Amino acid sequence: MTSGDASPSDAELLRAHVEGDREAFGELVRRHRDRLWAVALRTIGDREEAADAVQDALLAAHRNAARFRGDSAVTTWLHRIVVNASLDRIRRRQAHPTVPLPDGSRSDDRPSGVEPAAPVADHETSLLVRQALADLPVDQRAAIVLVDVQGYPVAEAAEILDVAVGTIKSRCARGRARMALALGELRGRDSGHASAGNQDAPETVPSGPGTTQPQPGRNERRDQR
């Protein structure tokens, strides 16, 4: 690694690891583990599966570091391995569905990075968005997670997923449209229930400071005419 006070770059850490430095890869993992974990969690939707995917990916990166060609950033290479490990787990789960769909809410000894979360007031909306994301085809979900959830530039997401920039744009557009449709239907049902429940509720208008008086319902207004 480099001498002096300057921190080594990711590429220098990976090179040092290949050359036999036993601490270099651990430092590289500490730098990026939280974001790798967030990508895996949002792609898979289950904490245990996400943690296992990250572990599998980091083991693969540790063993295959010498194959890194340097034609992309080290973080891009790491993210590609994590996304591929996550997608592999999703496909295996879809092929052999032996457990109920997870809700991602379990708490255990997993990476300590801050998980993307909504305020308490928006918890229900957050769950609906999470479900809409989970219902997307895996390729669209991966693109949405990288670009819209994690904020990667489209070009970097294309590198991570090893596809063309236009493919990422197309997958994001289709995924957003599907999510908007799903969320619109859910919101429409919710507002319909709210309207039906409040149809005959008495209206109230202020008649003095701090007081309200009930207004007559529709049937009562007809009787008074």
Coordinates of all heavy atoms in Angstrom, one line a residue, residues 54-132:
V54 N -24.6 -10.8 0.1 CA -23.4 -10.0 0.2 C -22.2 -10.9 0.6 O -21.1 -10.7 0.1 CB -23.6 -8.9 1.3 CG1 -22.3 -8.2 1.6 CG2 -24.6 -7.9 0.8
Q55 N -22.4 -11.8 1.6 CA -21.3 -12.7 2.0 C -20.8 -13.5 0.8 O -19.6 -13.7 0.6 CB -21.8 -13.6 3.1 CG -20.8 -14.6 3.6 CD -21.3 -15.4 4.8 OE1 -22.2 -15.0 5.5 NE2 -20.6 -16.5 5.0
D56 N -21.7 -14.1 0.0 CA -21.3 -14.9 -1.2 C -20.5 -14.0 -2.1 O -19.5 -14.4 -2.7 CB -22.5 -15.4 -1.9 CG -23.3 -16.5 -1.1 OD1 -22.7 -17.0 -0.1 OD2 -24.4 -16.8 -1.5
A57 N -21.0 -12.8 -2.3 CA -20.3 -11.9 -3.3 C -18.9 -11.5 -2.8 O -18.0 -11.5 -3.6 CB -21.2 -10.6 -3.5
L58 N -18.8 -11.2 -1.5 CA -17.5 -10.8 -1.0 C -16.5 -12.0 -1.0 O -15.3 -11.8 -1.3 CB -17.6 -10.2 0.4 CG -18.4 -8.8 0.4 CD1 -18.5 -8.4 1.9 CD2 -17.6 -7.8 -0.4
L59 N -17.0 -13.2 -0.7 CA -16.1 -14.3 -0.8 C -15.6 -14.5 -2.3 O -14.5 -14.8 -2.5 CB -16.9 -15.6 -0.4 CG -17.0 -15.7 1.2 CD1 -17.9 -16.9 1.5 CD2 -15.7 -15.9 1.8
A60 N -16.6 -14.3 -3.2 CA -16.2 -14.5 -4.6 C -15.2 -13.4 -5.0 O -14.2 -13.6 -5.7 CB -17.4 -14.4 -5.5
A61 N -15.4 -12.2 -4.6 CA -14.5 -11.1 -4.9 C -13.1 -11.3 -4.2 O -12.1 -11.1 -4.9 CB -15.0 -9.7 -4.4
H62 N -13.1 -11.8 -3.0 CA -11.8 -12.2 -2.3 C -11.0 -13.2 -3.1 O -9.8 -13.0 -3.3 CB -12.2 -12.7 -0.9 CG -11.0 -12.9 -0.1 ND1 -10.2 -14.0 -0.1 CD2 -10.4 -12.1 0.9 CE1 -9.2 -14.0 0.8 NE2 -9.3 -12.8 1.4
R63 N -11.7 -14.2 -3.6 CA -11.0 -15.3 -4.3 C -10.6 -14.9 -5.7 O -9.6 -15.4 -6.2 CB -12.0 -16.5 -4.4 CG -12.2 -17.2 -3.0 CD -13.4 -18.2 -3.1 NE -13.7 -18.8 -1.8 CZ -14.8 -19.4 -1.6 NH1 -15.7 -19.6 -2.5 NH2 -15.0 -20.0 -0.4
N64 N -11.4 -14.0 -6.3 CA -11.2 -13.7 -7.8 C -10.6 -12.4 -8.0 O -10.6 -11.8 -9.1 CB -12.5 -13.9 -8.5 CG -13.1 -15.3 -8.5 OD1 -12.3 -16.2 -8.7 ND2 -14.3 -15.4 -8.2
A65 N -10.0 -11.8 -6.9 CA -9.5 -10.4 -7.1 C -8.4 -10.3 -8.2 O -8.3 -9.3 -8.8 CB -8.9 -9.9 -5.7
A66 N -7.6 -11.3 -8.3 CA -6.6 -11.3 -9.3 C -7.1 -11.2 -10.8 O -6.4 -10.8 -11.7 CB -5.7 -12.5 -9.2
R67 N -8.4 -11.5 -10.9 CA -9.0 -11.4 -12.3 C -9.5 -10.0 -12.6 O -10.0 -9.8 -13.7 CB -10.2 -12.4 -12.4 CG -9.8 -13.9 -12.2 CD -11.0 -14.8 -12.3 NE -10.6 -16.2 -12.0 CZ -11.5 -17.2 -12.0 NH1 -12.8 -16.9 -12.3 NH2 -11.1 -18.4 -11.7
F68 N -9.5 -9.2 -11.6 CA -10.0 -7.8 -11.8 C -9.1 -7.1 -12.9 O -7.9 -7.0 -12.7 CB -10.0 -7.0 -10.5 CG -10.4 -5.5 -10.7 CD1 -11.7 -5.2 -11.1 CD2 -9.5 -4.5 -10.5 CE1 -12.0 -3.9 -11.2 CE2 -9.8 -3.2 -10.6 CZ -11.1 -2.9 -11.0
R69 N -9.7 -6.7 -14.0 CA -8.9 -6.1 -15.1 C -8.6 -4.6 -15.0 O -7.8 -4.1 -15.7 CB -9.6 -6.4 -16.4 CG -9.8 -7.9 -16.7 CD -10.4 -8.1 -18.1 NE -11.7 -7.5 -18.3 CZ -12.8 -8.0 -18.0 NH1 -12.9 -9.2 -17.4 NH2 -14.0 -7.4 -18.2
G70 N -9.4 -4.0 -14.1 CA -9.1 -2.5 -13.9 C -9.8 -1.7 -15.0 O -9.5 -0.5 -15.1
D71 N -10.7 -2.3 -15.8 CA -11.4 -1.5 -16.8 C -12.7 -0.8 -16.3 O -13.4 -0.2 -17.0 CB -11.8 -2.4 -18.0 CG -12.5 -3.6 -17.6 OD1 -12.8 -3.8 -16.4 OD2 -12.9 -4.4 -18.5
S72 N -12.9 -0.9 -15.0 CA -14.0 -0.2 -14.3 C -13.5 0.1 -12.9 O -12.5 -0.4 -12.4 CB -15.3 -1.0 -14.2 OG -15.1 -2.1 -13.5
A73 N -14.3 0.9 -12.2 CA -13.9 1.2 -10.8 C -14.1 0.0 -9.9 O -14.9 -0.9 -10.2 CB -14.8 2.3 -10.2
V74 N -13.3 -0.1 -8.9 CA -13.4 -1.3 -8.0 C -14.8 -1.4 -7.4 O -15.4 -2.5 -7.3 CB -12.3 -1.2 -6.9 CG1 -12.5 -2.3 -5.8 CG2 -10.9 -1.3 -7.4
T75 N -15.4 -0.2 -7.0 CA -16.7 -0.2 -6.5 C -17.7 -0.8 -7.5 O -18.7 -1.5 -7.1 CB -17.1 1.2 -6.0 OG1 -16.9 2.1 -7.1 CG2 -16.3 1.6 -4.8
T76 N -17.6 -0.4 -8.8 CA -18.5 -0.9 -9.8 C -18.3 -2.5 -9.9 O -19.3 -3.2 -10.0 CB -18.1 -0.3 -11.2 OG1 -18.3 1.1 -11.1 CG2 -19.0 -0.8 -12.3
W77 N -17.1 -2.9 -9.9 CA -16.9 -4.4 -9.9 C -17.5 -5.1 -8.7 O -18.2 -6.1 -8.9 CB -15.3 -4.6 -9.9 CG -14.9 -6.0 -9.8 CD1 -15.0 -7.0 -10.8 CD2 -14.2 -6.6 -8.7 NE1 -14.4 -8.1 -10.4 CE2 -13.9 -8.0 -9.1 CE3 -13.8 -6.2 -7.5 CZ2 -13.2 -8.8 -8.3 CZ3 -13.1 -7.0 -6.7 CH2 -12.8 -8.4 -7.0
L78 N -17.3 -4.5 -7.5 CA -18.0 -5.1 -6.3 C -19.5 -5.1 -6.4 O -20.1 -6.1 -6.1 CB -17.5 -4.3 -5.1 CG -16.0 -4.5 -4.6 CD1 -15.7 -3.6 -3.5 CD2 -15.8 -6.0 -4.2
H79 N -20.0 -4.0 -6.8 CA -21.5 -3.9 -7.0 C -22.0 -4.9 -8.0 O -23.1 -5.5 -7.8 CB -21.9 -2.5 -7.4 CG -22.0 -1.6 -6.2 ND1 -20.9 -1.0 -5.6 CD2 -23.1 -1.1 -5.5 CE1 -21.3 -0.2 -4.6 NE2 -22.7 -0.3 -4.5
R80 N -21.3 -5.1 -9.1 CA -21.7 -6.1 -10.1 C -21.8 -7.5 -9.5 O -22.7 -8.2 -9.7 CB -20.8 -6.1 -11.3 CG -21.2 -7.0 -12.4 CD -20.1 -6.9 -13.5 NE -20.0 -5.6 -14.1 CZ -18.8 -5.1 -14.4 NH1 -17.7 -5.7 -14.2 NH2 -18.8 -3.8 -14.9
I81 N -20.8 -7.8 -8.7 CA -20.8 -9.2 -8.1 C -21.9 -9.3 -7.1 O -22.6 -10.3 -7.0 CB -19.4 -9.4 -7.4 CG1 -18.3 -9.4 -8.4 CG2 -19.4 -10.7 -6.6 CD1 -16.9 -9.5 -7.8
V82 N -22.2 -8.2 -6.3 CA -23.3 -8.3 -5.3 C -24.7 -8.4 -6.0 O -25.5 -9.1 -5.6 CB -23.2 -7.0 -4.4 CG1 -24.5 -6.9 -3.6 CG2 -22.1 -7.1 -3.4
V83 N -24.9 -7.6 -7.1 CA -26.1 -7.6 -7.8 C -26.3 -9.0 -8.4 O -27.4 -9.5 -8.3 CB -26.2 -6.5 -8.8 CG1 -27.4 -6.7 -9.8 CG2 -26.3 -5.1 -8.2
N84 N -25.3 -9.5 -9.0 CA -25.4 -10.9 -9.6 C -25.8 -11.9 -8.6 O -26.6 -12.8 -8.8 CB -24.1 -11.2 -10.4 CG -24.0 -10.5 -11.7 OD1 -25.0 -10.0 -12.2 ND2 -22.7 -10.3 -12.1
A85 N -25.1 -11.8 -7.4 CA -25.4 -12.8 -6.3 C -26.9 -12.6 -5.9 O -27.6 -13.6 -5.6 CB -24.5 -12.6 -5.2
S86 N -27.3 -11.4 -5.8 CA -28.7 -11.1 -5.4 C -29.7 -11.6 -6.4 O -30.7 -12.3 -6.0 CB -28.9 -9.6 -5.2 OG -28.0 -9.1 -4.2
L87 N -29.5 -11.4 -7.7 CA -30.4 -11.9 -8.7 C -30.4 -13.4 -8.8 O -31.4 -14.0 -9.0 CB -30.0 -11.3 -10.1 CG -30.1 -9.8 -10.2 CD1 -29.7 -9.3 -11.6 CD2 -31.5 -9.3 -9.9
D88 N -29.2 -14.0 -8.5 CA -29.2 -15.5 -8.5 C -30.1 -16.0 -7.4 O -30.8 -17.0 -7.6 CB -27.7 -16.0 -8.3 CG -26.9 -15.8 -9.5 OD1 -27.5 -15.6 -10.6 OD2 -25.6 -15.9 -9.4
R89 N -30.0 -15.4 -6.2 CA -30.9 -15.8 -5.1 C -32.4 -15.6 -5.4 O -33.2 -16.4 -5.1 CB -30.5 -15.1 -3.8 CG -29.2 -15.6 -3.3 CD -28.9 -15.1 -1.9 NE -27.8 -15.9 -1.3 CZ -27.9 -16.9 -0.6 NH1 -29.1 -17.4 -0.3 NH2 -26.9 -17.6 -0.1
I90 N -32.7 -14.5 -6.1 CA -34.1 -14.3 -6.4 C -34.6 -15.4 -7.4 O -35.7 -15.9 -7.3 CB -34.3 -12.9 -7.1 CG1 -34.1 -11.8 -6.0 CG2 -35.7 -12.8 -7.7 CD1 -34.0 -10.4 -6.6
R91 N -33.8 -15.7 -8.4 CA -34.2 -16.7 -9.4 C -34.3 -18.0 -8.8 O -35.2 -18.8 -9.1 CB -33.2 -16.7 -10.6 CG -33.2 -15.4 -11.4 CD -32.2 -15.4 -12.6 NE -32.3 -14.2 -13.3 CZ -31.3 -13.3 -13.4 NH1 -30.2 -13.5 -12.7 NH2 -31.4 -12.2 -14.0
R92 N -33.4 -18.4 -7.8 CA -33.5 -19.7 -7.2 C -34.8 -19.7 -6.3 O -35.5 -20.8 -6.3 CB -32.3 -19.9 -6.3 CG -31.0 -20.3 -7.1 CD -30.0 -21.0 -6.2 NE -29.6 -20.2 -5.1 CZ -28.5 -19.4 -5.1 NH1 -27.8 -19.3 -6.2 NH2 -28.2 -18.7 -4.0
R93 N -35.1 -18.6 -5.7 CA -36.3 -18.6 -4.8 C -37.6 -18.7 -5.7 O -38.5 -19.3 -5.3 CB -36.3 -17.3 -4.0 CG -37.4 -17.2 -3.0 CD -37.2 -16.0 -2.1 NE -37.4 -14.8 -2.8 CZ -37.1 -13.6 -2.3 NH1 -36.5 -13.4 -1.1 NH2 -37.3 -12.5 -3.0
Q94 N -37.6 -18.1 -6.8 CA -38.7 -18.2 -7.7 C -38.9 -19.6 -8.3 O -40.0 -20.0 -8.5 CB -38.6 -17.1 -8.8 CG -38.8 -15.7 -8.4 CD -38.5 -14.7 -9.5 OE1 -37.9 -15.0 -10.5 NE2 -39.0 -13.5 -9.3
A95 N -37.7 -20.2 -8.5 CA -37.8 -21.6 -9.1 C -38.2 -22.6 -8.0 O -38.8 -23.6 -8.3 CB -36.4 -22.0 -9.7
H96 N -37.9 -22.3 -6.8 CA -38.2 -23.2 -5.7 C -38.8 -22.5 -4.5 O -38.1 -22.3 -3.5 CB -36.9 -24.0 -5.2 CG -36.2 -24.7 -6.3 ND1 -36.6 -25.9 -6.9 CD2 -35.1 -24.3 -7.0 CE1 -35.8 -26.2 -7.8 NE2 -34.8 -25.3 -7.9
P97 N -40.0 -22.0 -4.6 CA -40.6 -21.2 -3.6 C -41.0 -22.1 -2.4 O -42.1 -22.7 -2.4 CB -41.9 -20.6 -4.3 CG -42.2 -21.6 -5.3 CD -40.9 -22.2 -5.8
T98 N -40.2 -22.1 -1.4 CA -40.4 -22.9 -0.2 C -40.8 -22.1 1.0 O -41.1 -22.7 2.1 CB -39.2 -23.8 0.1 OG1 -38.1 -22.9 0.3 CG2 -38.9 -24.7 -1.0
V99 N -40.7 -20.8 1.0 CA -41.0 -20.0 2.1 C -41.9 -18.8 1.7 O -41.9 -18.4 0.5 CB -39.7 -19.4 2.8 CG1 -38.8 -20.5 3.4 CG2 -38.9 -18.6 1.8
P100 N -42.7 -18.2 2.6 CA -43.5 -17.1 2.3 C -42.7 -15.9 1.8 O -41.5 -15.8 2.2 CB -44.3 -16.8 3.6 CG -44.1 -18.0 4.4 CD -42.8 -18.6 4.0
L101 N -43.2 -15.0 1.0 CA -42.5 -13.8 0.6 C -42.1 -13.0 1.9 O -42.9 -12.7 2.7 CB -43.4 -12.9 -0.3 CG -43.5 -13.4 -1.7 CD1 -44.5 -12.5 -2.4 CD2 -42.2 -13.3 -2.4
P102 N -40.9 -12.6 2.0 CA -40.4 -11.9 3.2 C -40.8 -10.4 3.1 O -41.2 -9.9 2.1 CB -38.9 -12.0 3.1 CG -38.6 -12.1 1.6 CD -39.8 -12.9 1.0
D103 N -40.9 -9.8 4.3 CA -41.2 -8.4 4.3 C -40.0 -7.5 4.6 O -40.2 -6.3 4.7 CB -42.3 -8.1 5.4 CG -41.9 -8.5 6.8 OD1 -40.7 -8.8 7.0 OD2 -42.8 -8.5 7.7
G104 N -38.9 -8.1 4.8 CA -37.7 -7.3 5.0 C -37.6 -6.6 6.4 O -36.8 -5.8 6.6
S105 N -38.5 -7.1 7.3 CA -38.5 -6.3 8.6 C -37.8 -7.0 9.7 O -37.8 -6.5 10.8 CB -40.0 -6.1 9.0 OG -40.6 -7.4 9.2
R106 N -37.3 -8.2 9.5 CA -36.6 -8.9 10.6 C -35.3 -8.2 11.0 O -34.6 -7.6 10.2 CB -36.3 -10.3 10.2 CG -37.5 -11.3 10.3 CD -37.2 -12.6 9.8 NE -36.9 -12.6 8.3 CZ -36.6 -13.7 7.6 NH1 -36.5 -14.8 8.2 NH2 -36.4 -13.6 6.3
S107 N -35.1 -8.3 12.3 CA -33.9 -7.6 12.8 C -32.9 -8.7 13.4 O -33.3 -9.5 14.2 CB -34.2 -6.6 13.9 OG -33.1 -6.1 14.5
D108 N -31.7 -8.8 12.9 CA -30.8 -9.7 13.4 C -29.4 -9.1 13.2 O -29.2 -8.0 12.9 CB -30.9 -11.1 12.7 CG -31.0 -10.9 11.2 OD1 -30.5 -9.9 10.7 OD2 -31.5 -11.8 10.5
D109 N -28.4 -9.9 13.4 CA -27.0 -9.5 13.4 C -26.5 -9.3 12.0 O -25.9 -10.2 11.4 CB -26.1 -10.4 14.2 CG -24.7 -9.9 14.3 OD1 -24.5 -8.7 14.1 OD2 -23.8 -10.7 14.6
R110 N -26.9 -8.2 11.4 CA -26.6 -8.0 10.0 C -25.7 -6.7 9.8 O -25.5 -6.0 10.8 CB -27.9 -7.9 9.2 CG -28.7 -9.2 9.2 CD -28.0 -10.4 8.7 NE -28.7 -11.6 8.8 CZ -28.2 -12.8 8.6 NH1 -26.9 -12.9 8.3 NH2 -28.9 -13.9 8.8
P111 N -25.3 -6.4 8.6 CA -24.5 -5.2 8.4 C -25.1 -4.0 9.1 O -26.4 -3.8 9.1 CB -24.4 -5.1 6.9 CG -24.5 -6.5 6.4 CD -25.4 -7.2 7.4
S112 N -24.3 -3.1 9.6 CA -24.8 -2.0 10.5 C -25.2 -0.8 9.7 O -25.5 0.2 10.3 CB -23.7 -1.7 11.5 OG -22.5 -1.3 10.8
G113 N -25.1 -0.8 8.4 CA -25.4 0.4 7.6 C -26.8 0.8 7.7 O -27.7 0.0 8.0
V114 N -27.1 2.1 7.6 CA -28.4 2.6 7.7 C -29.3 2.1 6.5 O -28.9 2.3 5.4 CB -28.5 4.2 7.7 CG1 -29.9 4.7 7.7 CG2 -27.7 4.7 8.9
E115 N -30.3 1.4 6.8 CA -31.2 0.9 5.8 C -32.2 2.0 5.4 O -32.7 2.7 6.2 CB -32.0 -0.3 6.4 CG -33.1 -0.8 5.4 CD -33.9 -1.9 6.1 OE1 -33.4 -2.5 7.1 OE2 -35.0 -2.1 5.7
P116 N -32.4 2.2 4.0 CA -33.3 3.2 3.6 C -34.7 3.0 4.3 O -35.2 1.9 4.3 CB -33.5 3.0 2.1 CG -32.2 2.3 1.7 CD -31.8 1.4 2.9
A117 N -35.2 4.0 5.0 CA -36.4 3.9 5.8 C -37.2 5.2 5.6 O -36.7 6.2 5.4 CB -36.1 3.7 7.2
A118 N -38.5 5.0 5.8 CA -39.5 6.1 5.7 C -39.9 6.5 7.1 O -39.8 5.8 8.1 CB -40.7 5.7 5.0
P119 N -40.3 7.8 7.3 CA -40.8 8.2 8.6 C -42.0 7.3 9.0 O -42.7 6.7 8.2 CB -41.3 9.6 8.4 CG -40.5 10.1 7.2 CD -40.3 8.9 6.3
V120 N -42.3 7.3 10.3 CA -43.4 6.4 10.8 C -44.7 6.7 10.1 O -45.4 5.8 9.8 CB -43.5 6.6 12.3 CG1 -44.7 5.8 12.8 CG2 -42.3 6.1 13.0
A121 N -45.0 8.0 9.9 CA -46.2 8.4 9.3 C -46.4 7.8 7.9 O -47.5 7.7 7.4 CB -46.3 9.9 9.2
D122 N -45.2 7.6 7.2 CA -45.3 7.1 5.8 C -45.0 5.6 5.8 O -44.7 5.1 4.7 CB -44.2 7.8 5.0 CG -44.6 9.3 4.8 OD1 -45.8 9.6 4.9 OD2 -43.6 10.1 4.7
H123 N -45.1 4.9 6.9 CA -44.8 3.5 6.9 C -45.6 2.6 6.0 O -45.1 1.8 5.2 CB -44.9 2.9 8.4 CG -44.5 1.5 8.5 ND1 -43.2 1.1 8.2 CD2 -45.2 0.4 8.9 CE1 -43.1 -0.2 8.4 NE2 -44.3 -0.7 8.8
E124 N -46.9 2.9 6.0 CA -47.8 2.1 5.1 C -47.5 2.4 3.6 O -47.4 1.4 2.8 CB -49.3 2.5 5.3 CG -50.2 1.6 4.5 CD -51.7 1.9 4.9 OE1 -51.9 2.7 5.8 OE2 -52.6 1.4 4.2
T125 N -47.2 3.6 3.3 CA -46.8 3.9 1.9 C -45.5 3.2 1.5 O -45.3 2.7 0.4 CB -46.6 5.5 1.7 OG1 -47.9 6.1 2.0 CG2 -46.2 5.8 0.3
S126 N -44.6 3.2 2.5 CA -43.3 2.6 2.3 C -43.5 1.1 2.0 O -42.8 0.5 1.1 CB -42.4 2.8 3.5 OG -41.2 2.1 3.4
L127 N -44.4 0.4 2.7 CA -44.6 -1.0 2.5 C -45.2 -1.2 1.1 O -44.9 -2.2 0.5 CB -45.6 -1.5 3.6 CG -45.0 -1.6 5.0 CD1 -46.0 -2.1 6.0 CD2 -43.7 -2.5 5.1
L128 N -46.1 -0.3 0.7 CA -46.7 -0.5 -0.6 C -45.7 -0.3 -1.7 O -45.7 -1.1 -2.7 CB -47.9 0.6 -0.8 CG -49.1 0.4 0.1 CD1 -50.1 1.6 -0.1 CD2 -49.8 -0.9 -0.1
V129 N -44.8 0.7 -1.5 CA -43.7 0.9 -2.5 C -42.8 -0.3 -2.6 O -42.4 -0.8 -3.6 CB -43.0 2.2 -2.2 CG1 -41.7 2.3 -3.1 CG2 -43.8 3.4 -2.4
R130 N -42.5 -0.9 -1.4 CA -41.6 -2.0 -1.3 C -42.3 -3.2 -2.0 O -41.6 -4.0 -2.7 CB -41.3 -2.4 0.2 CG -40.4 -3.6 0.3 CD -40.2 -3.8 1.8 NE -39.4 -2.7 2.4 CZ -39.2 -2.6 3.7 NH1 -39.7 -3.6 4.6 NH2 -38.5 -1.6 4.2
Q131 N -43.6 -3.4 -1.8 CA -44.3 -4.5 -2.5 C -44.3 -4.3 -4.0 O -44.1 -5.3 -4.7 CB -45.7 -4.7 -1.9 CG -46.4 -5.9 -2.5 CD -45.7 -7.2 -2.2 OE1 -45.4 -7.5 -1.0 NE2 -45.4 -8.0 -3.2
A132 N -44.6 -3.1 -4.4 CA -44.6 -2.8 -5.9 C -43.2 -3.1 -6.5 O -43.1 -3.6 -7.6 CB -45.0 -1.4 -6.1

